[in-house]
Amino acid sequence: QVQLVESGGGLVQAGGSLRLSCTISRNIGYYNVVGWHRQAPGEQRDLVAEITGGGRTNYADSVKGRFTISGGNAKTVYLQMDNLKPEDTSVYYCNFRTLFPANTYWGQGTQVTVSS
């Protein structure tokens, strides 16, 4: 069973930075994908950023230029979050998707709170 362990959430003032970490219990693999999603109370869970084992990245428009995802070639993926805004407040979940076989794994979530 694949396990994902997240860390790095917390409380920060607007304009500040946080770095989230997601450590996976196996190698990511070139064609597989690790992503960060977030979900605020009463809202759906949305993609924030994702990276393949080969290093290709994808970002939500709302975080482009502020967040950076890295580490696709290792077992730990990072989400560097800069210039945080109150609207970034949410629970952030790490997600690992394998291509063959097709499976999806989720971390337990970590709270990020940005005060104005």
Side-chain angles (χ1 to χ4, degrees):
Q1 179 70 15
V2 177
Q3 293 183 329
L4 283 65
V5 178
E6 301 146 335
S7 63
L11 172 64
V12 65
Q13 288 188 330
S17 299
L18 284 174
R19 189 176 78 159
L20 304 182
S21 301
C22 175
T23 298
I24 302 170
S25 60
R26 52 157 281 184
N27 289 321
I28 293 173
Y30 189 88
Y31 294 107
N32 299 325
V33 183
V34 177
W36 285 97
H37 295 67
R38 64 188 181 188
Q39 186 172 23
E43 302 290 334
Q44 66 180 19
R45 189 174 297 186
D46 292 326
L47 174 69
V48 175
E50 60 187 0
I51 186 168
T52 69
R56 295 183 66 180
T57 59
N58 179 43
Y59 295 91
D61 288 342
S62 60
V63 306
K64 284 181 180 176
R66 300 189 297 123
F67 291 11
T68 304
I69 191 169
S70 62
N73 61 346
K75 290 186 177 181
T76 298
V77 171
Y78 301 96
L79 183 68
Q80 178 66 39
M81 305 186 294
D82 298 318
N83 191 20
L84 282 160
K85 303 176 181 180
E87 52 263 43
D88 294 319
T89 295
S90 194
V91 178
Y92 284 70
Y93 295 91
C94 183
N95 166 272
F96 177 46
R97 303 196 312 274
T98 60
L99 190 59
F100 298 112
N103 280 311
T104 299
Y105 306 92
W106 290 96
Q108 78 281 4
T110 185
Q111 177 70 46
V112 171
T113 302
V114 184
S115 63
S116 58

